[in-house]
Amino acid sequence: MSEILQPDGWAKPIGYANGVAARGKQIFIAGQIGWNGQCQFESDDLVAQIGQTLRNIVAVAAAGGAGPEHIVSMTWFLLDRKEYSARLKEIGVVYRDAMGRRFPAMTAIQVAGLIEDRAKVEIQAIAVVPD
């Protein structure tokens, strides 16, 4: 499994880990966006797109023999950090629905745009399946 890295004396992060150590088969998941498996958007809502994006990540991980518990790192690219911050409670619900209560090392970045015009979020992930 993986080990959460938390320096002594640091405040515990909420919703992510400062670091994760893991050993095993590495699965690199390309940036996923909020469309379905047929590359069609079902919603233009940020929270709905995040939910779909996370389900896409879980599906790709599963194709490599991994589950949400094996995801050790995520990088989120968002168009609107203010909307993201304002909707954190809703995002938490769809996150837990897809990922459970597992919080990998995460980075969130606001970007000027994404390749797909309707996309509001893109998330890249890394999973490690123990040997």
Side-chain angles (χ1 to χ4, degrees):
M1 297 305 285
S2 60
E3 173 189 359
I4 302 298
L5 305 176
Q6 178 67 18
D8 290 339
W10 282 30
K12 184 177 179 191
I14 298 172
Y16 67 95
N18 283 306
V20 177
R23 178 183 301 231
K25 177 175 86 171
Q26 299 177 13
I27 300 169
F28 298 90
I29 301 168
Q32 299 295 305
I33 58 176
W35 61 17
N36 62 28
Q38 289 68 50
C39 302
Q40 298 171 337
F41 287 95
E42 296 175 5
S43 176
D44 290 318
D45 177 71
L46 174 64
V47 175
Q49 284 196 15
I50 288 172
Q52 182 63 58
T53 300
L54 293 168
R55 289 189 297 277
N56 294 345
I57 288 168
V58 170
V60 173
E69 69 275 16
H70 300 116
I71 295 173
V72 296
S73 179
M74 300 174 100
T75 302
W76 296 48
F77 302 92
L78 300 147
L79 293 181
D80 186 341
R81 69 179 176 85
K82 289 183 181 177
E83 181 181 11
Y84 171 82
S85 294
R87 300 187 72 190
L88 278 175
K89 286 187 180 185
E90 296 168 86
I91 291 167
V93 170
V94 297
Y95 181 91
R96 287 186 300 278
D97 284 347
M99 300 289 297
R101 291 194 170 275
R102 294 168 184 89
F103 304 105
M106 286 195 256
T107 299
I109 303 165
Q110 180 174 296
V111 295
L114 298 166
I115 298 300
E116 293 296 327
D117 288 337
R118 288 181 66 186
K120 295 190 173 202
V121 62
E122 184 167 336
I123 304 173
Q124 182 179 13
I126 300 170
V128 179
V129 180
D131 295 328

